[in-house]
Amino acid sequence: MRASTFAFTALLACPFVALVQPVAQAGTKTPAYVTAAMNDSARSADRVNDERRQMATVLTFSGVKPGSTVMELLPGGGYWTRAFSQIVGAHGHVYQVWASQTKADNKNLVLWKQLANTGHYANVSVLQESLDRPTASLPVDVVFTSQNYHDLHDPSLGPVNMAEFNKAVYAALKPGGVFVIVDHIAPAGSGISDTNTLHRIDPASVRKEVEAAGFVFDGASDALLNPKDPLNIPVFDASIRGHTSQFIYRFRKPAH
């Protein structure tokens, strides 16, 4: 799988050909600050997953850079947080947004409340908020969520009012800021019918929901496509777990 944005000819063979538009960014070089963040000793345990998760490509595609402010939605174990923190540095900030219904004893939540009080992660704030209206203390440059957008449609999180959610993300961004979504692909035309069963979502539904809030589609990357994924089995199935076909979408809040 190429670590690049979709080429039009490759789209012809894709199960969601009508859903994406190519962006001419093939061959984009990984910035030195991304490489440095990935090599941070505090994330040594993460490195075994970097190639599989195409970390360098995703971080570069997101546009996060030194001094950026990032709002990360549903950060889980903090795989992305650790890299974001080191990229943005002392002049940037990372806001971790956890669902307000997350149990106070959630091991990852407890861990990050502790880590945010250390010098190494002093630029990370841990927030528990209603996901209908996620917000940060200041307007941010990037809102990012990985493998979680589909969950917002499910009973475990409410489900969330997606119109309100995407409007809140839009409001949290600076003009020109971007919303980056990585998630497991469901078959074209399936809509949101597979979010609670297969833990997948039709990319066309994501685009429709996000654009309805005023966002402009700003590109897609094929770095996590896997043609061997049949798309119709749960993401936790042993035959595909950790290797699902995923879309990477970027949406931009207009600058004016």
Side-chain angles (χ1 to χ4, degrees):
M1 293 182 290
R2 301 184 317 279
S4 65
T5 46
F6 284 144
F8 181 72
T9 52
L11 283 175
L12 297 179
C14 237
F16 48 102
V17 56
L19 312 183
V20 244
Q21 295 175 354
V23 178
Q25 291 185 346
T28 301
K29 184 178 179 180
T30 302
Y33 52 79
V34 169
T35 302
M38 291 176 63
N39 289 331
D40 176 40
S41 60
R43 61 175 307 276
S44 57
D46 291 335
R47 290 179 193 155
V48 67
N49 293 310
D50 287 351
E51 182 176 0
R52 177 178 65 82
R53 300 189 72 171
Q54 291 292 307
M55 174 169 251
T57 299
V58 174
L59 290 174
T60 302
F61 184 76
S62 74
V64 176
K65 54 180 63 70
S68 291
T69 48
V70 179
M71 184 164 73
E72 183 184 3
L73 305 174
L74 300 170
Y79 174 83
W80 296 103
T81 311
R82 283 182 280 277
F84 287 145
S85 174
Q86 298 311 300
I87 290 174
V88 305
H91 299 292
H93 205 82
V94 180
Y95 297 93
Q96 278 194 340
V97 177
W98 297 72
S100 55
Q101 62 266 48
T102 301
K103 293 181 180 180
D105 62 352
N106 178 293
K107 65 179 182 180
N108 288 324
L109 176 58
V110 171
L111 173 65
W112 276 101
K113 284 183 175 179
Q114 295 170 345
L115 289 176
N117 289 320
T118 68
H120 200 72
Y121 295 109
N123 61 358
V124 176
S125 294
V126 179
L127 310 173
Q128 282 186 276
E129 301 179 346
S130 168
L131 288 179
D132 281 342
R133 294 177 178 82
T135 188
S137 301
L138 297 169
V140 301
D141 298 292
V142 178
V143 176
F144 179 91
T145 189
S146 176
Q147 301 179 351
N148 291 311
Y149 190 93
H150 73 272
D151 289 318
L152 302 175
H153 296 78
D154 297 340
S156 61
L157 288 176
V160 169
N161 181 317
M162 294 308 297
E164 293 297 322
F165 166 81
N166 284 304
K167 287 178 182 177
V169 170
Y170 187 93
L173 281 163
K174 298 175 183 178
V178 297
F179 182 20
V180 178
I181 302 172
V182 182
D183 216 334
H184 310 283
I185 298 172
S190 62
I192 62 172
S193 62
D194 295 325
T195 61
N196 198 39
T197 52
L198 306 184
H199 295 275
R200 299 174 180 268
I201 191 165
D202 182 351
S205 294
V206 176
R207 184 168 174 179
K208 181 178 180 180
E209 290 177 352
V210 176
E211 289 182 330
F215 283 98
V216 176
F217 182 73
D218 193 50
S221 171
D222 67 357
L224 291 172
L225 286 187
N226 179 6
K228 295 181 180 179
D229 181 1
L231 309 183
N232 60 1
I233 58 176
V235 301
F236 304 115
D237 188 287
S239 67
I240 201 66
R241 186 168 188 171
H243 300 280
T244 57
S245 199
Q246 298 171 52
F247 64 90
I248 309 169
Y249 275 3
R250 186 177 62 216
F251 300 88
R252 189 170 299 276
K253 179 177 180 175
H256 302 288

